[in-house]
Amino acid sequence: MQTAFAKYEGAGNDFILIDNREGGFTPRAELIAALCDRHFGIGADGLMTLARNAEIDCSMRYYNADGSEGEMCGNGARCFALFAEHRGIGGETKFFDAADGLHTARIRRLKGTSGEIELGMIAVREIRTGDGWWFLNTGVPHYVEFVDDLEAVDVTGRGRAIRRDTARFPQGTNVNFVQITGDGTIRMRTYERGVENETLACGTGATAAAIVTAFARQPHTTDFRITVPGGALAVRFSHEQGTQTYTDIRLTGPARRVFEGVFDSENF
């Protein structure tokens, strides 16, 4: 069966997007993993499907590169919003749901195949702390650790070990190493669960890193710029002082359509 797809990227996080409003694509784990393979497939950090939703603009479902279903992906959701815009779905603000709940995304800037997208994230109401680490859920679970020299960190080796530390994190976790560079400015590198490698960016990770930086180091800062290997992201939020409650979380960054094509599932 032939299926049309589009390839998008947001700050270097790349995704396969499929318009599944007619229900013709069946997201099998082994097929998704094959499509995301960078040597034998299209190549991507994940795959998303767009489906109809009678109550809001559309529904997003996200799948990791290993074929497992993920709850949420911040950079992916921004690409998803631009994908919906390119297909004439919704208005300047898109309303869609993902596995972690309802989201909004505003098209702040649009130029041809590219745009700047502001995404609404779920609220954070609990932050776990340990010996030099913090843990929270920004749509998916995230571990955050501060480091003095980001380039010296073995992101893949240490990230893989922490990601698989089921004694502390029974469901596994994404792993973020963060270096503070100024008031409201940080650098970050991420090992992503489901990709099982370092990625060029992680939107939910940038959100987690900004919130933990505010919580642990900069309590009066609510607007952050996060530099990642693939570019830059911005995160802002509201915070109830003296609590672990962070609301009105907005993740802003670029999204771009790279190319479109058709694949035959029998070829995978």
Side-chain angles (χ1 to χ4, degrees):
M1 176 180 173
Q2 291 197 329
T3 302
F5 73 92
K7 176 80 175 284
Y8 280 67
E9 62 88 12
N13 235 173
D14 57 341
F15 309 96
I16 300 164
L17 285 116
I18 295 171
D19 185 342
N20 205 30
R21 284 177 289 178
E22 301 305 320
F25 176 72
T26 301
R28 294 181 291 107
E30 59 273 20
L31 174 58
I32 291 169
L35 292 170
C36 290
D37 189 285
R38 296 195 179 277
H39 298 286
F40 299 103
I42 297 166
D45 289 329
L47 180 148
M48 285 170 284
T49 60
L50 183 153
R52 296 184 189 278
N53 188 312
E55 299 179 353
I56 50 179
D57 291 326
C58 53
S59 290
M60 177 189 105
R61 289 299 176 266
Y62 176 74
Y63 301 89
N64 296 306
D66 64 2
S68 61
E69 185 168 2
E71 299 94 328
M72 180 54 179
C73 176
N75 288 329
R78 290 201 330 280
C79 289
F80 177 87
L82 185 60
F83 180 64
E85 175 71 12
H86 286 158
R87 274 151 181 76
I89 299 170
E92 180 180 319
T93 298
K94 316 292 182 192
F95 298 86
F96 63 95
D97 66 356
D100 68 333
L102 181 66
H103 292 270
T104 61
R106 183 163 70 92
I107 310 296
R108 290 171 52 119
R109 178 182 57 80
L110 185 65
K111 184 178 180 181
T113 59
S114 301
E116 182 180 74
I117 315 298
E118 180 184 279
L119 175 70
M121 307 289 284
I122 65 167
V124 170
R125 304 189 187 278
E126 181 183 10
I127 301 173
R128 282 175 53 197
T129 60
D131 184 13
W133 56 266
W134 292 259
F135 179 80
L136 66 166
N137 191 304
T138 55
V140 287
H142 278 279
Y143 168 104
V144 177
E145 178 183 321
F146 293 108
V147 298
D148 295 325
D149 184 356
L150 194 62
E151 301 309 319
V153 178
D154 177 8
V155 174
T156 301
R158 290 205 58 226
R160 182 181 294 116
I162 295 167
R163 177 261 186 272
R164 298 186 182 282
D165 184 353
T166 54
R168 284 188 293 174
F169 315 111
Q171 305 304 316
T173 184
N174 297 278
V175 182
N176 307 277
F177 299 99
V178 177
Q179 180 179 349
I180 297 174
T181 55
D183 186 15
T185 60
I186 57 179
R187 297 175 60 222
M188 182 189 80
R189 294 173 65 186
T190 301
Y191 181 93
E192 281 202 51
R193 181 188 68 166
V195 179
E196 305 308 334
N197 210 337
E198 180 178 5
T199 55
L200 294 180
C202 179
T204 53
T207 302
I211 289 173
V212 168
T213 302
F215 177 75
R217 302 292 176 84
Q218 299 180 1
H220 299 293
T221 304
T222 58
D223 198 335
F224 285 85
R225 183 173 178 83
I226 303 96
T227 301
V228 295
L233 300 168
V235 174
R236 60 179 173 82
F237 46 78
S238 297
H239 176 226
E240 298 177 25
Q241 289 295 324
T243 75
Q244 295 183 356
T245 300
Y246 295 81
T247 58
D248 191 28
I249 302 169
R250 315 299 294 184
L251 168 68
T252 301
R256 178 176 70 103
R257 185 176 69 215
V258 183
F259 62 86
E260 295 180 303
V262 176
F263 65 83
D264 188 336
S265 57
E266 293 184 3
N267 194 34
F268 294 92

